[in-house]
Amino acid sequence: MGSILITGANRGIGFEFTKQYYEAGWRVFACCRDIAADNARDLNMLGISSKYVTVHQLDVSKNEEIEALAGTLAPEAIDVIINNAGVNGPKQPFGKTDYELWAASMAINVFGPMKIAESFVEHVARSERKVIATVSSRMGSIELASGDKHHTYRSSKAAVNMVTKCIADYVAERGITTVAFSPGWVKTDMGGPGAPIEPTETVSGMRKLIEELAPADTGKFLHFDGTELPW
Ligand code: NDP
């Protein structure tokens, strides 16, 4: 089995990734913005009950925390990195954009995945599978976009798509495959109770894709069912 580092592992899609890889026998480095928070309890329980899951403090908007964790895990080979942590915000009508909130979401949704790739490239390069995957969103597709007052979220996911494409080029010579995923509209705190897709379904789909990824797939934007999406 392999090893995987997952950001935003305490709830939603990230927790589902953690559970599924744990159940499949993988070594999981489960990262969580605040390990003392109530919403980290289930993840902490998993970490206590399994020697293959360790829980790590990591706010992806804090470069010093990313660097510190990369140092702590320096001896490890990490097969797969999942940049899952992300935020959406409230709808923002044209003329009333909250720029502070937008900047904060860019730090999490865009700078985080870039800094993680820069800090963990050696861990991934020395592994067998060599995958960096970012959970983006169909809402980041410029071709599919509409003005629905979600321009802050949409632009952050469009930016992380570009970052994914650039990282793919930077690290291809190290044998690393880099992709962006769209998980669909998923029933989580972010997606809400009306979302049609369960976390189990989308994570199973993305795991299958990760399993089947070949170097020729690097730089692709893939829906969780394997369909390639337009940028
Ligand atoms: P949730 O809101 O349920 O969970 C978000 C996760 O990200 C939480 O674990 C949260 O931690 C973490 N997080 C937020 N900010 C930070 C930070 N600064 N550092 C570390 N972790 C952070 O969202 P989902 O599980 O639904 O979303 C996961 C990913 O999937 C996101 O990138 C999202 O954009 C994407 N996505 C989701 C869709 C959906 O329909 N649900 C659709 C398309 C894409 P904490 O508990 O501390 O807040």
Side-chain angles (χ1 to χ4, degrees):
M1 291 305 150
S3 59
I4 186 162
L5 182 146
I6 302 161
T7 65
N10 56 308
R11 60 188 171 98
I13 293 170
F15 188 56
E16 185 60 32
F17 265 120
T18 304
K19 276 195 296 188
Q20 290 198 19
Y21 276 103
Y22 154 72
E23 283 161 10
W26 282 50
R27 171 77 175 92
V28 183
F29 302 102
C31 304
C32 173
R33 166 160 54 177
D34 180 2
I35 56 175
D38 277 355
N39 66 18
R41 201 178 306 136
D42 291 346
L43 179 63
N44 284 323
M45 289 306 291
L46 195 58
I48 290 165
S49 63
S50 167
K51 64 177 179 175
Y52 296 111
V53 178
T54 47
V55 181
H56 303 272
Q57 168 68 42
L58 185 67
D59 182 331
V60 301
S61 68
K62 295 184 173 157
N63 284 357
E64 64 281 8
E65 289 194 12
I66 296 175
E67 284 167 11
L69 184 60
T72 303
L73 301 181
E76 306 285 349
I78 301 178
D79 288 280
V80 179
I81 289 193
I82 308 269
N83 285 308
N84 163 77
V87 285
N88 191 353
K91 284 190 172 185
Q92 302 200 27
F94 181 66
K96 295 197 171 164
T97 298
D98 182 332
Y99 286 87
E100 268 181 38
L101 210 60
W102 194 1
S105 77
M106 293 298 275
I108 295 166
N109 294 357
V110 186
F111 308 159
M114 185 69 192
K115 182 64 182 172
I116 296 246
E118 289 184 319
S119 305
F120 284 91
V121 63
E122 296 303 330
H123 307 66
V124 178
R126 74 171 75 98
S127 75
E128 266 182 44
R129 295 168 204 243
K130 301 184 177 57
V131 172
I132 299 175
T134 294
V135 184
S136 177
S137 170
R138 198 172 184 277
M139 290 175 77
S141 167
I142 290 173
E143 193 171 324
L144 302 175
S146 62
D148 59 357
K149 304 188 177 72
H150 279 297
H151 51 277
T152 60
Y153 182 68
R154 285 182 179 280
S155 61
S156 74
K157 292 301 189 180
V160 83
N161 284 351
M162 178 59 83
V163 160
T164 300
K165 195 85 176 154
C166 293
I167 296 170
D169 275 359
Y170 299 146
V171 301
E173 64 180 15
R174 311 288 307 271
I176 298 173
T177 304
T178 307
V179 291
F181 286 140
S182 146
W185 182 18
V186 189
K187 208 175 282 173
T188 61
D189 293 338
M190 185 186 291
I197 300 168
E198 294 291 338
T200 46
E201 184 186 354
T202 188
V203 169
S204 301
M206 289 187 277
R207 280 183 56 220
K208 183 166 179 288
L209 293 179
I210 289 168
E211 198 61 38
E212 294 169 353
L213 281 176
D217 294 316
T218 205
K220 285 187 179 171
F221 181 22
L222 299 167
H223 198 49
F224 76 98
D225 64 3
T227 316
E228 203 170 341
L229 291 172
W231 295 109

